[in-house]
Structures are given as C-alpha cells and as structure tokens.
C-alpha cells in the first residue's frame, strides 16, 4: 500500500524551520497591524519635518514649526504672569500689614511664595521652615521668635538681616560658675529652676540680655531660656560651649557664627529712617537680593508659617 503524501489543505504553510515541535509559519500578520506599522513610519517622517530632530555639528534641524522646550516654557510662563499681574500690581501698592489683613491677597502671597522661599530661604531654614536638627538656624514653623513675630518686624529681619551677639564668657566666669549656669539653663527649660540658679543668673549679668524672666528680649534678639526650643542644642556640653564662646563675638575665634544676611539693604535704610522720622540716605549697590514686593510676600509667608504675633 502506497503512503498518502498529500498535504492537508487547511494546514498553514511554514518555512521549514521547526524547533521542539514549534513551526515557523508563513502566514502574514493581520492587516490592521501592517497598516499601523506603515502609519507609524509616516508619523515619524512628519515629526522629523515639523520638529527639531536631526543633530548637526553645532546645532540641530529646526523643523517647520520652530518649536523648542524653552519657547514653550516662556509662553507658559507668560500666561502665568498675565494671571499674576493684577495681584502683583496690587501687592506693590500695599503694606505687609494690609496684605495680611486681606484674605485674598494673603492667600495669594502665601501661595506664590513657596518657590520664593525654596529658592532663597530653605537652604538654611529647611523646607517648610524646619531646618536640620542642631544646625544652628532658627525654626520658622513654631511661634518662638528671637526678634519678634509681628509682620513689620519680619519685614525688617528680611530686609536688614540679623547679626545678634552674645559675649563669650570663658575669661570672665570661673569653671564652677559655668557649671552652675549650665545646670540653671537645663533646669529652667524643665521648669525646675532653683533660687541659687536665679541668683547666679542675675549676679553674672545674664539678666541684662535675657531679661528678668529669662524669656529673652526681642530688641536684642536674645533667646528664651525657659522653653525647650534651642537655637543650637540643649545638650549640656553645647550649652557650655555657647556660654564660654558666645555667638558672633569677634574677640573669640571659637565663637558660634549665626548671621542672617540682608536681602534688601535699601529697604532696610528706608524702614530705619521712617522709624525715626528721617529722610533715608542710602549709599550702596542698587542691586538687591530681593525686591520690596518679594520681601513683603515672604514676610507674610513666614508670618503664616510660624503663627505670627
């Protein structure tokens, strides 16, 4: 009997390649898939014609549309500035106090200052006004203020900067007196100050800067010693270091350095002159780190951040 060599008419032809029972077929892909492939190639060609695509030696092809990311960014930025323009114009004519009292303008100032704060303030004061622990930078998100938390004081702090000073006492205090003051500050922050500690505090002149109640004096920028908020650290050895070497004391090379720069010296001079009802006399570079409007916006932002006073 002869073998039947006829192929099954329903069997899909293959290339003759077979591996482990799997044949490589010759049937074409679906027409929709083929059309999509050709269409994608056409889209690539259209893209190359319309948009920058091919790199050249020092440039690239421009495309018929002349589109660039920078151009799109500037167009979007212009739209944002058009929306902001009425608010910015109104802000420029308002004082910080007036902005704070106007709900709409206050919300705008806070919302538009987040990037401003991040670009200029967050490096020291941290995102959200909370710096790294024991970094030496003041926390802006609490309600503890070295110079005061009212809006006008914050404006002055931003415009003029701050450069407070605590004298170094390494040469004026005996070791046992330093030990006593360290213990007093530690006890005071825990509400356990003793009569002997208060006596030492007053006799050694600490009262002159930190006040009779040890809560600090805003005009001097001195710290409140009665709470648990520490500018540098509440560890006994760190408190000892501050007492011995002070803060910004030029006579001690080991002193702690804690200086906030001025962000608009011209405004600072103007504010000081207004305080004493004088004519402002500014002599310096006209270029300021922040504009007056930016100072007011940041002041409102910081005021709201820390609860204000």
């Amino acid at each position: 009997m002869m073998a039947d060599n006829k192929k099954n008419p329903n069997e899909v032809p293959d290339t003759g390649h077979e591996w482990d029972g799997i044949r490589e077929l010759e049937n074409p892909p679906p027409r929709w898939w083929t059309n999509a492939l050709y269409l994608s190639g056409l889209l690539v060609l259209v893209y190359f014609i319309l948009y920058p695509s091919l790199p050249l030696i020092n440039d690239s092809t421009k495309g018929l549309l002349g589109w660039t990311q920078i151009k799109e960014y500037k167009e979007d930025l212009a739209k944002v500035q058009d929306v902001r323009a009425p608010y910015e114009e109104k802000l420029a004519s308002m004082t910080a106090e007036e902005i704070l009292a106007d709900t709409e303008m206050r919300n705008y100032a806070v919302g538009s200052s987040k990037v401003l704060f991040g670009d200029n303030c967050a490096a020291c004061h941290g995102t959200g006004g909370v710096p790294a622990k024991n970094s030496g930078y003041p926390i802006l998100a609490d309600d503890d203020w070295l110079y005061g938390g009212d809006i006008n004081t914050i404006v002055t702090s931003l415009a003029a900067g701050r450069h407070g000073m605590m004298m170094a006492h390494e040469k004026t205090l005996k070791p046992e007196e330093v030990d006593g003051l360290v213990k007093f500050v530690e006890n005071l922050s825990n509400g356990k100050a003793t009569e002997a500690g208060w006596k030492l505090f007053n006799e050694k002149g600490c009262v002159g800067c930190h006040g009779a109640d040890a809560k600090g004096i805003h005009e001097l920028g001195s710290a409140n010693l009665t709470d648990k908020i520490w500018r540098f650290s509440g560890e006994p050895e760190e408190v000892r270091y501050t007492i011995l070497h002070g803060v910004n004391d030029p006579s001690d090379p080991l002193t702690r350095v804690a200086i906030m720069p001025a962000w608009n010296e011209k405004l600072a001079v103007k504010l000081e002159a207004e305080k004493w009802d004088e004519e402002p006399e500014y002599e310096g570079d006209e270029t300021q780190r922040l504009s007056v409007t930016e100072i007011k916006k940041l002041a409102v932002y910081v005021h709201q951040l820390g609860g204000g006073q």
Side-chain angles (χ1 to χ4, degrees):
M1 184 176 179
M2 296 180 62
D4 186 2
N5 293 325
K6 292 183 179 181
K7 292 185 177 180
N8 185 347
N10 296 322
E11 185 176 358
V12 178
D14 59 47
T15 63
H17 298 155
E18 182 178 341
W19 183 84
D20 199 21
I22 300 175
R23 294 182 301 129
E24 182 180 358
L25 305 181
E26 290 184 341
N27 56 319
R31 184 173 296 278
W32 67 264
W33 188 92
T34 303
N35 292 338
L37 178 63
Y38 294 147
L39 180 60
S40 64
L42 179 61
L43 290 176
V44 169
L45 179 61
V46 172
Y47 183 92
F48 267 60
I49 295 172
L50 297 179
Y51 293 94
S53 305
L54 298 175
L56 304 175
I57 295 177
N58 295 316
D59 203 350
S60 65
T61 57
K62 303 299 182 182
L64 296 180
L65 298 180
W67 177 91
T68 65
Q69 288 180 323
I70 296 298
K71 183 179 179 181
E72 183 178 14
Y73 159 74
K74 289 181 177 179
E75 290 174 350
D76 291 343
L77 180 60
K79 293 177 183 178
V80 173
Q81 290 175 337
D82 287 342
V83 174
R84 289 183 172 182
Y87 292 96
E88 294 292 328
E89 291 176 6
K90 188 174 180 180
L91 274 177
S93 65
M94 299 173 70
T95 66
E97 287 180 314
E98 290 170 340
I99 296 170
L100 197 62
D102 187 314
T103 302
E104 182 183 26
M105 299 307 295
R106 181 178 69 245
N107 291 339
Y108 172 77
V110 171
S112 61
S113 294
K114 292 180 180 179
V115 174
L116 194 62
F117 183 88
D119 289 344
N120 298 282
C121 312
C124 294
H125 295 287
T127 303
V130 182
K133 186 177 181 181
N134 299 334
S135 65
Y137 299 110
I139 297 173
L140 302 180
D142 58 20
D143 199 27
D144 183 81
W145 304 89
L146 290 173
Y147 291 90
D150 65 276
I151 189 65
N152 290 324
T153 299
I154 296 174
V155 168
T156 301
S157 294
L158 287 166
R162 294 296 183 183
H163 190 158
M165 191 192 83
M166 173 178 170
M167 294 176 56
H169 292 86
E170 185 177 29
K171 297 178 181 179
T172 59
L173 293 176
K174 298 176 182 178
E176 59 271 21
E177 292 173 335
V178 175
D179 291 340
L181 286 172
V182 170
K183 190 64 179 177
F184 169 73
V185 171
E186 185 180 4
N187 289 338
L188 187 62
S189 65
N190 292 309
K192 300 178 180 179
T194 63
E195 185 176 339
W198 278 111
K199 182 180 179 181
L200 183 63
F201 174 81
N202 290 314
E203 288 179 349
K204 297 306 169 182
C206 306
V207 62
C209 292
H210 293 282
D213 56 3
K215 292 186 177 182
I217 300 174
H218 285 161
E219 289 74 15
L220 301 176
S222 52
N224 182 352
L225 304 179
T226 66
D227 56 23
K228 290 182 175 294
I229 299 175
W230 303 95
R231 174 73 186 274
F232 302 103
S233 172
E235 296 297 323
E237 286 308 307
E238 293 297 321
V239 175
R240 181 186 306 277
Y241 188 96
T242 302
I243 293 174
L244 291 175
H245 303 292
V247 180
N248 297 327
D249 187 338
S251 69
D252 191 327
L254 298 179
T255 192
R256 295 189 186 277
V257 177
I259 300 173
M260 176 180 171
W263 292 89
N264 193 310
E265 295 176 351
K266 188 175 182 179
L267 174 60
V269 171
K270 180 176 181 294
L271 293 173
E272 185 66 16
E274 288 177 351
K275 178 181 176 182
W276 301 104
D277 195 23
E278 299 173 350
E279 286 294 323
E281 296 181 7
Y282 175 74
E283 296 180 3
D285 187 357
E286 288 295 325
T287 302
Q288 305 298 324
R289 298 187 183 197
L290 292 174
S291 69
V292 174
T293 299
E294 288 173 330
I295 291 285
K296 290 187 290 188
K297 288 165 68 175
L298 274 175
V300 173
Y301 180 83
V302 172
H303 184 277
Q304 298 299 102
L305 197 64
Q309 288 181 346

